[in-house]
Amino acid sequence: MAVAVNGETELARKRRVRRMARELAVIHPDAHCELDFTNPLELAVATVLSAQCTDVRVNQTTPALFAKYRTAADYAGADRVELEEMIRPTGFFRNKAASLMGLGQQLVDRFGGELPRSLPQLVTLPGIGRKTANVVLGNAFGVPGITVDTHFQRLVNRWAWTEEEDPVKIEHAVGALVEKRDWTMLSHRVIFHGRRVCHARKPACGACPLAGMCPSYGLGPVDPAEAVKLLKGPRVAEIAALAGVTA
C-alpha cells in the first residue's frame, strides 16, 4: 500500500483530510470569496486584478471600474490609458489592462459577450488560468472547483495532504481526497485559515484548532498566549476558543 511522506497510509491520509475539512467548516463558518462582485464578468475581472495584489486593494479599485465597464464589449473597446489608470493601484496595470481588453474582445468574438461555463473554455481566455477559472466556476456558476492560490498550496503541503508542488497536480491530488461537492467551500476555508491562522512566516500553532491533526505543529509558536496574538480576522475569540485558548 502506498505510504505518504509522514508515514501514514493513503487511506489514513484521506480520513485525516476529511476530518480536517469538517473541522475547517466549524472554524470558518463565514468563509467566502473575498472579492466583491455581482456577476460572472465582474468576478473574472476582479480575479485577474488580484494577481500579486490583495483582495482588499482590488475591492477598493473595482467599484469605479465596474461602474464604467459593465459589459465585455466595454472592456474590448476601452481606452487603454484610461483603463490602466483606473487599475493602477492593483499593480502590473499594463499587463492587466491588456488582459482585460483581450478578455473582453474574446468574449465578444467567441461567446456572445458572456463568460463560458466550462474550465477548458475559460482557460483559453486572456488572463484566465486554472486558478481564475475555478474561482469563477465555483463562485459565479456553482460548478465545484479547487482554487490553488499561495495560501492553499502552503497549507496543504504543511498538512501533508499532498507532496505535489505544481498547482495543477495539487488541485487533482486534493480533489481526490474530498467529495467534489465540497471543493469550492473547502478552497475558501483553507484560504481563510491561511490568512487568519496558519501564516506563511509565523503560524499560530498554539492557538490552532487543527493542531492535533497537523504534522507541521510546532512550525510556529506553541505557547497559547504567544500564538493567540497571531490570530487575525473578526473571529479571533471564536477560533481561539475552539483551540481551548482564551483570546
Side-chain angles (χ1 to χ4, degrees), residues 48-127:
V48 169
L49 296 179
S50 72
Q52 305 297 313
C53 182
T54 66
D55 289 355
V56 171
R57 179 58 61 87
V58 172
N59 290 338
Q60 292 170 343
T61 304
T62 50
L65 184 72
F66 293 161
K68 183 173 180 62
Y69 302 97
R70 298 179 180 276
T71 68
D74 290 338
Y75 286 100
D79 178 277
R80 180 184 292 271
V81 174
E82 188 173 27
L83 177 58
E84 287 179 354
E85 193 58 34
M86 292 190 76
I87 65 174
R88 180 186 290 268
T90 69
F92 301 96
F93 58 93
R94 291 190 177 88
N95 287 340
K96 290 178 181 180
S99 292
L100 294 181
M101 292 175 69
L103 172 63
Q105 191 64 59
Q106 287 284 311
L107 290 177
V108 170
D109 291 345
R110 299 169 55 201
F111 300 105
E114 301 294 328
L115 279 168
R117 297 182 177 225
S118 78
L119 190 145
Q121 290 179 317
L122 282 169
V123 296
T124 67
L125 296 167

Coordinates of all heavy atoms in Angstrom, one line a residue, residues 48-127:
V48 N -8.6 38.6 -12.1 CA -7.4 39.0 -12.9 C -6.6 40.1 -12.2 O -5.4 40.0 -12.1 CB -7.9 39.5 -14.3 CG1 -6.7 40.2 -15.0 CG2 -8.4 38.4 -15.1
L49 N -7.4 41.0 -11.6 CA -6.7 42.1 -10.9 C -6.0 41.7 -9.6 O -5.1 42.3 -9.1 CB -7.7 43.2 -10.6 CG -8.3 44.0 -11.8 CD1 -9.3 45.0 -11.3 CD2 -7.3 44.6 -12.6
S50 N -6.5 40.5 -9.0 CA -6.0 40.1 -7.7 C -4.6 39.5 -7.8 O -4.0 39.2 -6.8 CB -7.0 39.1 -7.1 OG -6.9 37.9 -7.8
A51 N -4.1 39.2 -9.0 CA -2.7 38.7 -9.2 C -1.7 39.6 -8.6 O -1.7 40.8 -8.9 CB -2.4 38.4 -10.6
Q52 N -0.9 39.1 -7.6 CA 0.1 39.9 -6.9 C -0.5 41.2 -6.3 O 0.1 42.2 -6.2 CB 1.2 40.4 -7.9 CG 1.9 39.2 -8.7 CD 2.6 38.3 -7.8 OE1 3.3 38.7 -6.9 NE2 2.4 37.0 -7.9
C53 N -1.7 41.0 -5.8 CA -2.4 42.2 -5.1 C -3.4 41.6 -4.1 O -3.9 40.5 -4.3 CB -3.2 43.0 -6.2 SG -4.0 44.5 -5.5
T54 N -3.6 42.4 -3.1 CA -4.5 41.9 -2.0 C -6.0 42.1 -2.5 O -6.3 43.0 -3.3 CB -4.4 42.7 -0.7 OG1 -4.7 44.1 -0.9 CG2 -2.9 42.6 -0.2
D55 N -6.9 41.2 -1.9 CA -8.3 41.4 -2.2 C -8.8 42.7 -1.8 O -9.7 43.3 -2.4 CB -9.1 40.2 -1.6 CG -8.8 38.9 -2.2 OD1 -8.1 38.8 -3.2 OD2 -9.3 37.9 -1.7
V56 N -8.3 43.2 -0.6 CA -8.8 44.5 -0.1 C -8.5 45.6 -1.1 O -9.4 46.4 -1.4 CB -8.1 44.8 1.2 CG1 -8.4 46.3 1.7 CG2 -8.5 43.8 2.3
R57 N -7.3 45.6 -1.7 CA -7.0 46.7 -2.7 C -7.8 46.5 -3.9 O -8.3 47.5 -4.5 CB -5.5 46.6 -3.0 CG -5.0 47.6 -4.0 CD -5.2 49.0 -3.6 NE -4.6 49.3 -2.4 CZ -3.3 49.8 -2.3 NH1 -2.6 49.9 -3.4 NH2 -2.8 50.1 -1.1
V58 N -8.0 45.3 -4.3 CA -8.9 45.1 -5.5 C -10.3 45.6 -5.3 O -10.9 46.3 -6.1 CB -8.9 43.6 -5.9 CG1 -10.0 43.3 -7.0 CG2 -7.6 43.1 -6.4
N59 N -10.8 45.3 -4.1 CA -12.2 45.7 -3.8 C -12.3 47.2 -3.6 O -13.4 47.8 -3.8 CB -12.7 45.1 -2.5 CG -12.9 43.6 -2.6 OD1 -13.1 43.1 -3.7 ND2 -12.9 42.8 -1.5
Q60 N -11.2 47.9 -3.3 CA -11.2 49.4 -3.3 C -11.2 49.9 -4.7 O -11.6 51.1 -4.9 CB -10.0 49.9 -2.5 CG -10.0 49.5 -1.1 CD -8.7 49.8 -0.4 OE1 -7.6 50.0 -1.0 NE2 -8.7 49.9 1.0
T61 N -10.6 49.2 -5.7 CA -10.5 49.6 -7.0 C -11.7 49.3 -7.9 O -12.0 50.1 -8.8 CB -9.2 49.0 -7.6 OG1 -8.1 49.2 -6.8 CG2 -9.0 49.4 -9.1
T62 N -12.4 48.2 -7.7 CA -13.4 47.8 -8.6 C -14.7 48.5 -8.7 O -15.3 48.5 -9.7 CB -13.7 46.3 -8.4 OG1 -13.9 46.0 -7.0 CG2 -12.5 45.4 -8.9
P63 N -15.1 49.2 -7.6 CA -16.4 49.9 -7.7 C -16.5 50.9 -8.9 O -17.4 50.9 -9.7 CB -16.6 50.6 -6.4 CG -15.9 49.7 -5.4 CD -14.7 49.2 -6.2
A64 N -15.5 51.7 -9.0 CA -15.4 52.7 -10.1 C -15.3 52.0 -11.4 O -15.9 52.4 -12.4 CB -14.3 53.7 -9.9
L65 N -14.4 50.9 -11.4 CA -14.2 50.2 -12.7 C -15.5 49.5 -13.2 O -15.8 49.6 -14.4 CB -13.1 49.1 -12.4 CG -12.7 48.3 -13.6 CD1 -11.8 49.2 -14.5 CD2 -11.9 47.1 -13.2
F66 N -16.2 48.9 -12.3 CA -17.4 48.2 -12.7 C -18.5 49.1 -13.1 O -19.4 48.8 -13.8 CB -17.9 47.3 -11.5 CG -17.0 46.1 -11.2 CD1 -17.1 45.5 -10.0 CD2 -16.0 45.7 -12.1 CE1 -16.2 44.4 -9.7 CE2 -15.2 44.6 -11.9 CZ -15.3 44.0 -10.6
A67 N -18.5 50.3 -12.5 CA -19.5 51.3 -12.9 C -19.3 51.8 -14.3 O -20.2 52.1 -15.0 CB -19.4 52.5 -11.9
K68 N -18.0 51.9 -14.7 CA -17.7 52.4 -16.1 C -17.7 51.3 -17.1 O -18.2 51.5 -18.2 CB -16.3 53.0 -16.1 CG -15.9 53.6 -17.4 CD -14.7 54.4 -17.3 CE -14.3 55.0 -18.7 NZ -15.3 56.0 -19.2
Y69 N -17.2 50.1 -16.8 CA -17.1 49.0 -17.7 C -18.1 47.9 -17.3 O -17.8 47.1 -16.3 CB -15.7 48.4 -17.8 CG -14.7 49.4 -18.2 CD1 -13.9 50.1 -17.2 CD2 -14.5 49.8 -19.5 CE1 -13.0 51.1 -17.5 CE2 -13.5 50.7 -19.9 CZ -12.8 51.4 -18.9 OH -11.9 52.3 -19.2
R70 N -19.3 47.8 -17.9 CA -20.3 46.9 -17.5 C -20.4 45.7 -18.3 O -21.0 44.7 -17.9 CB -21.7 47.7 -17.5 CG -21.7 48.9 -16.6 CD -23.1 49.6 -16.7 NE -23.1 50.7 -15.8 CZ -23.5 50.7 -14.5 NH1 -23.8 49.5 -13.9 NH2 -23.5 51.8 -13.8
T71 N -19.9 45.7 -19.5 CA -20.0 44.5 -20.4 C -18.7 44.1 -21.0 O -17.7 44.9 -20.9 CB -21.0 44.8 -21.6 OG1 -20.4 45.8 -22.4 CG2 -22.3 45.3 -21.0
A72 N -18.6 43.0 -21.6 CA -17.4 42.5 -22.2 C -17.0 43.5 -23.4 O -15.8 43.8 -23.6 CB -17.6 41.1 -22.8
A73 N -18.0 44.0 -24.0 CA -17.8 45.0 -25.1 C -17.1 46.3 -24.6 O -16.3 46.9 -25.3 CB -19.1 45.3 -25.9
D74 N -17.5 46.7 -23.4 CA -16.9 47.9 -22.8 C -15.4 47.7 -22.6 O -14.6 48.6 -22.8 CB -17.6 48.2 -21.4 CG -19.0 48.7 -21.6 OD1 -19.4 49.1 -22.7 OD2 -19.8 48.5 -20.6
Y75 N -15.0 46.5 -22.1 CA -13.6 46.2 -21.9 C -12.9 46.1 -23.3 O -11.7 46.6 -23.5 CB -13.3 44.9 -21.1 CG -13.7 45.1 -19.7 CD1 -14.9 44.7 -19.2 CD2 -12.8 45.7 -18.8 CE1 -15.2 44.8 -17.8 CE2 -13.0 45.9 -17.5 CZ -14.3 45.4 -17.0 OH -14.6 45.6 -15.6
A76 N -13.5 45.5 -24.3 CA -12.9 45.3 -25.6 C -12.7 46.7 -26.2 O -11.7 46.9 -26.9 CB -13.9 44.5 -26.5
G77 N -13.5 47.7 -26.0 CA -13.4 49.0 -26.6 C -12.8 50.0 -25.7 O -12.9 51.2 -26.0
A78 N -12.2 49.6 -24.6 CA -11.7 50.6 -23.6 C -10.5 51.4 -24.1 O -9.8 50.9 -25.0 CB -11.3 49.8 -22.3
D79 N -10.4 52.6 -23.6 CA -9.2 53.4 -23.9 C -8.1 52.8 -23.0 O -8.3 52.9 -21.8 CB -9.5 54.8 -23.6 CG -8.3 55.7 -23.8 OD1 -7.5 55.8 -22.8 OD2 -8.2 56.3 -24.8
R80 N -7.1 52.3 -23.6 CA -6.1 51.6 -22.8 C -5.5 52.5 -21.7 O -5.3 52.1 -20.5 CB -4.9 51.1 -23.7 CG -3.8 50.4 -22.9 CD -2.7 50.0 -23.8 NE -3.1 49.0 -24.8 CZ -3.0 47.7 -24.6 NH1 -2.6 47.2 -23.4 NH2 -3.4 46.8 -25.5
V81 N -5.2 53.8 -22.0 CA -4.6 54.7 -21.0 C -5.5 54.9 -19.8 O -5.1 54.9 -18.7 CB -4.2 56.0 -21.6 CG1 -3.7 57.0 -20.6 CG2 -3.1 55.8 -22.7
E82 N -6.8 55.1 -20.1 CA -7.8 55.3 -19.1 C -8.0 54.1 -18.2 O -8.0 54.2 -17.0 CB -9.1 55.7 -19.7 CG -10.1 56.2 -18.8 CD -11.4 56.7 -19.4 OE1 -11.7 56.3 -20.6 OE2 -12.1 57.5 -18.9
L83 N -8.0 52.9 -18.9 CA -8.2 51.7 -18.1 C -7.0 51.4 -17.2 O -7.1 51.0 -16.1 CB -8.4 50.5 -19.1 CG -8.5 49.1 -18.5 CD1 -9.7 49.0 -17.5 CD2 -8.7 48.0 -19.6
E84 N -5.8 51.6 -17.8 CA -4.6 51.4 -17.0 C -4.6 52.3 -15.7 O -4.2 51.9 -14.7 CB -3.3 51.7 -17.8 CG -3.0 50.7 -18.9 CD -1.8 51.0 -19.7 OE1 -1.3 52.2 -19.5 OE2 -1.4 50.2 -20.5
E85 N -5.0 53.5 -15.9 CA -5.0 54.5 -14.8 C -6.0 54.0 -13.7 O -5.7 54.1 -12.5 CB -5.4 55.9 -15.3 CG -5.1 57.0 -14.2 CD -3.6 57.0 -13.8 OE1 -2.7 56.7 -14.6 OE2 -3.4 57.3 -12.6
M86 N -7.1 53.5 -14.1 CA -8.1 53.0 -13.2 C -7.7 51.8 -12.3 O -8.0 51.7 -11.1 CB -9.5 52.7 -13.8 CG -10.2 53.9 -14.4 SD -11.8 53.5 -15.0 CE -12.7 53.4 -13.4
I87 N -6.9 51.0 -12.9 CA -6.5 49.7 -12.2 C -5.0 49.8 -11.7 O -4.5 48.9 -11.2 CB -6.6 48.5 -13.1 CG1 -5.7 48.6 -14.3 CG2 -8.1 48.3 -13.6 CD1 -5.7 47.3 -15.2
R88 N -4.4 51.0 -11.9 CA -3.0 51.2 -11.5 C -2.8 50.7 -10.0 O -1.7 50.1 -9.7 CB -2.6 52.6 -11.6 CG -1.2 52.9 -11.2 CD -0.9 54.4 -11.2 NE -0.8 54.9 -12.6 CZ 0.3 55.0 -13.3 NH1 1.4 54.6 -12.8 NH2 0.3 55.5 -14.6
P89 N -3.7 51.0 -9.1 CA -3.4 50.6 -7.7 C -3.2 49.1 -7.5 O -2.6 48.7 -6.4 CB -4.7 51.1 -6.9 CG -5.2 52.2 -7.8 CD -4.9 51.8 -9.2
T90 N -3.7 48.3 -8.4 CA -3.5 46.8 -8.2 C -2.2 46.3 -8.7 O -1.9 45.1 -8.5 CB -4.6 46.1 -9.0 OG1 -4.4 46.2 -10.4 CG2 -6.0 46.6 -8.6
G91 N -1.4 47.1 -9.3 CA 0.0 46.7 -9.7 C -0.1 46.0 -11.1 O -1.1 45.5 -11.5
F92 N 1.1 46.0 -11.7 CA 1.2 45.3 -13.1 C 0.0 45.8 -14.0 O -0.5 45.0 -14.7 CB 1.2 43.8 -12.9 CG 2.3 43.3 -12.1 CD1 2.1 43.0 -10.7 CD2 3.6 43.1 -12.6 CE1 3.2 42.5 -9.9 CE2 4.6 42.6 -11.8 CZ 4.4 42.4 -10.5
F93 N -0.3 47.0 -13.9 CA -1.5 47.5 -14.5 C -1.5 47.5 -16.0 O -2.5 47.3 -16.7 CB -1.8 49.0 -14.0 CG -0.8 50.0 -14.3 CD1 -0.7 50.7 -15.5 CD2 0.3 50.1 -13.4 CE1 0.3 51.6 -15.7 CE2 1.3 51.1 -13.6 CZ 1.3 51.8 -14.8
R94 N -0.3 47.6 -16.6 CA -0.3 47.5 -18.1 C -0.6 46.1 -18.6 O -1.4 45.9 -19.5 CB 1.1 47.9 -18.6 CG 1.4 49.4 -18.4 CD 2.7 49.9 -19.1 NE 2.9 51.3 -19.0 CZ 3.5 51.8 -18.0 NH1 4.1 51.1 -17.0 NH2 3.7 53.2 -17.9
N95 N 0.0 45.1 -18.0 CA -0.3 43.7 -18.4 C -1.8 43.4 -18.1 O -2.4 42.7 -18.8 CB 0.6 42.7 -17.6 CG 2.0 42.8 -18.1 OD1 2.3 43.2 -19.2 ND2 3.0 42.3 -17.3
K96 N -2.3 43.8 -16.9 CA -3.6 43.5 -16.5 C -4.6 44.2 -17.5 O -5.7 43.6 -17.9 CB -3.9 43.9 -15.1 CG -3.2 43.0 -14.1 CD -3.4 43.5 -12.6 CE -2.6 42.6 -11.7 NZ -2.8 43.0 -10.2
A97 N -4.3 45.5 -17.9 CA -5.2 46.2 -18.8 C -5.3 45.4 -20.2 O -6.3 45.2 -20.8 CB -4.7 47.6 -19.0
A98 N -4.1 44.9 -20.6 CA -4.1 44.2 -21.9 C -4.9 42.9 -21.7 O -5.6 42.5 -22.7 CB -2.6 43.8 -22.2
S99 N -4.8 42.2 -20.6 CA -5.6 41.0 -20.3 C -7.1 41.3 -20.4 O -7.9 40.6 -21.0 CB -5.2 40.4 -19.0 OG -3.9 39.9 -19.1
L100 N -7.5 42.4 -19.7 CA -8.9 42.7 -19.6 C -9.5 43.1 -21.0 O -10.6 42.7 -21.3 CB -9.1 43.8 -18.6 CG -8.8 43.5 -17.1 CD1 -9.1 44.7 -16.2 CD2 -9.6 42.3 -16.7
M101 N -8.7 43.9 -21.7 CA -9.2 44.2 -23.1 C -9.2 43.0 -24.0 O -10.2 42.8 -24.7 CB -8.2 45.3 -23.7 CG -8.3 46.6 -22.9 SD -7.1 47.9 -23.5 CE -7.8 48.2 -25.2
G102 N -8.2 42.1 -23.9 CA -8.2 40.9 -24.7 C -9.4 40.0 -24.2 O -10.0 39.3 -25.1
L103 N -9.6 39.9 -22.9 CA -10.7 39.1 -22.4 C -12.0 39.6 -23.0 O -12.8 38.8 -23.5 CB -10.7 39.1 -20.9 CG -11.9 38.5 -20.2 CD1 -12.0 37.0 -20.5 CD2 -11.9 38.8 -18.7
G104 N -12.2 40.9 -22.9 CA -13.5 41.4 -23.4 C -13.7 41.1 -24.9 O -14.8 40.7 -25.3
Q105 N -12.6 41.3 -25.7 CA -12.7 41.1 -27.1 C -13.0 39.6 -27.4 O -13.8 39.3 -28.3 CB -11.4 41.5 -27.8 CG -11.5 41.5 -29.3 CD -12.5 42.6 -29.8 OE1 -12.3 43.8 -29.5 NE2 -13.5 42.2 -30.5
Q106 N -12.3 38.7 -26.7 CA -12.5 37.3 -27.0 C -14.0 36.8 -26.6 O -14.6 36.0 -27.3 CB -11.5 36.4 -26.1 CG -10.1 36.5 -26.7 CD -9.9 35.6 -27.9 OE1 -10.3 34.5 -27.9 NE2 -9.3 36.2 -28.9
L107 N -14.5 37.4 -25.5 CA -15.8 37.1 -25.1 C -16.8 37.6 -26.1 O -17.8 36.9 -26.5 CB -16.2 37.7 -23.7 CG -15.4 37.1 -22.5 CD1 -15.8 37.9 -21.3 CD2 -15.8 35.6 -22.4
V108 N -16.6 38.7 -26.7 CA -17.5 39.3 -27.7 C -17.4 38.4 -29.0 O -18.4 38.0 -29.6 CB -17.1 40.7 -28.1 CG1 -17.8 41.2 -29.3 CG2 -17.5 41.6 -26.9
D109 N -16.2 38.1 -29.4 CA -15.9 37.4 -30.6 C -16.4 35.9 -30.6 O -16.9 35.4 -31.6 CB -14.5 37.4 -31.0 CG -14.0 38.8 -31.4 OD1 -14.9 39.7 -31.7 OD2 -12.8 39.0 -31.5
R110 N -16.2 35.3 -29.4 CA -16.4 33.8 -29.4 C -17.6 33.3 -28.6 O -18.1 32.3 -28.8 CB -15.1 33.2 -28.8 CG -13.9 33.4 -29.7 CD -12.6 33.0 -28.9 NE -12.7 31.6 -28.4 CZ -12.0 31.1 -27.5 NH1 -11.1 31.9 -26.8 NH2 -12.1 29.8 -27.1
F111 N -18.0 34.2 -27.6 CA -19.0 33.7 -26.7 C -20.2 34.6 -26.5 O -20.9 34.6 -25.5 CB -18.4 33.4 -25.3 CG -17.3 32.4 -25.3 CD1 -16.0 32.7 -25.3 CD2 -17.6 31.0 -25.5 CE1 -14.9 31.8 -25.3 CE2 -16.6 30.1 -25.6 CZ -15.3 30.4 -25.5
G112 N -20.5 35.5 -27.5 CA -21.6 36.3 -27.4 C -21.6 37.3 -26.2 O -22.6 37.8 -25.7
G113 N -20.4 37.6 -25.8 CA -20.2 38.6 -24.7 C -20.3 38.0 -23.3 O -20.3 38.7 -22.3
E114 N -20.6 36.7 -23.2 CA -20.8 36.0 -21.9 C -19.7 35.1 -21.6 O -19.1 34.5 -22.5 CB -22.1 35.3 -21.9 CG -23.4 36.1 -22.2 CD -23.6 37.1 -21.1 OE1 -23.3 36.8 -19.9 OE2 -24.2 38.2 -21.4
L115 N -19.4 35.0 -20.3 CA -18.3 34.0 -19.9 C -18.8 32.6 -20.1 O -20.0 32.3 -19.7 CB -18.0 34.2 -18.4 CG -17.0 35.3 -18.1 CD1 -16.9 35.6 -16.6 CD2 -15.6 35.0 -18.6
P116 N -18.0 31.7 -20.6 CA -18.4 30.3 -20.8 C -18.4 29.6 -19.4 O -17.7 30.1 -18.5 CB -17.3 29.7 -21.7 CG -16.1 30.6 -21.5 CD -16.7 32.0 -21.2
R117 N -19.1 28.5 -19.3 CA -19.2 27.8 -18.0 C -18.4 26.5 -17.9 O -18.8 25.7 -17.1 CB -20.7 27.5 -17.7 CG -21.6 28.7 -17.6 CD -23.0 28.4 -17.3 NE -23.8 29.6 -17.1 CZ -24.7 29.8 -16.2 NH1 -24.9 28.8 -15.3 NH2 -25.4 30.9 -16.1
S118 N -17.4 26.4 -18.7 CA -16.5 25.2 -18.6 C -15.1 25.6 -18.5 O -14.6 26.6 -19.0 CB -16.7 24.4 -19.9 OG -16.0 24.9 -21.0
L119 N -14.3 24.8 -17.7 CA -12.9 25.1 -17.5 C -12.1 25.1 -18.8 O -11.3 26.0 -19.0 CB -12.4 24.2 -16.4 CG -11.0 24.5 -15.9 CD1 -10.9 24.1 -14.4 CD2 -9.9 23.8 -16.7
P120 N -12.3 24.1 -19.6 CA -11.5 24.1 -20.9 C -11.7 25.4 -21.7 O -10.7 25.8 -22.3 CB -12.0 22.9 -21.6 CG -12.5 21.9 -20.5 CD -13.1 22.9 -19.5
Q121 N -12.9 25.9 -21.7 CA -13.1 27.1 -22.5 C -12.6 28.4 -21.8 O -12.0 29.2 -22.4 CB -14.6 27.3 -22.8 CG -15.2 26.3 -23.8 CD -16.7 26.5 -24.0 OE1 -17.4 26.7 -23.1 NE2 -17.1 26.4 -25.2
L122 N -12.8 28.4 -20.5 CA -12.3 29.6 -19.7 C -10.8 29.8 -19.8 O -10.4 30.9 -19.9 CB -12.8 29.4 -18.2 CG -14.2 29.7 -17.9 CD1 -14.6 29.3 -16.5 CD2 -14.5 31.2 -18.1
V123 N -10.1 28.7 -19.7 CA -8.6 28.8 -19.7 C -8.0 29.2 -21.1 O -6.8 29.5 -21.2 CB -7.9 27.5 -19.2 CG1 -8.3 27.2 -17.7 CG2 -8.2 26.3 -20.1
T124 N -8.9 29.3 -22.1 CA -8.4 29.8 -23.4 C -8.5 31.3 -23.5 O -8.0 31.9 -24.4 CB -9.2 29.2 -24.5 OG1 -10.6 29.7 -24.5 CG2 -9.2 27.7 -24.5
L125 N -9.1 31.9 -22.5 CA -9.3 33.4 -22.5 C -8.1 34.1 -21.9 O -7.4 33.6 -21.0 CB -10.5 33.7 -21.7 CG -11.8 33.2 -22.3 CD1 -13.0 33.3 -21.3 CD2 -12.2 33.9 -23.6
P126 N -7.8 35.3 -22.4 CA -6.7 36.1 -21.9 C -6.8 36.4 -20.4 O -7.9 36.7 -19.9 CB -6.8 37.4 -22.7 CG -7.4 37.0 -23.9 CD -8.4 36.0 -23.6
G127 N -5.7 36.2 -19.6 CA -5.7 36.5 -18.2 C -6.3 35.4 -17.3 O -6.3 35.6 -16.1

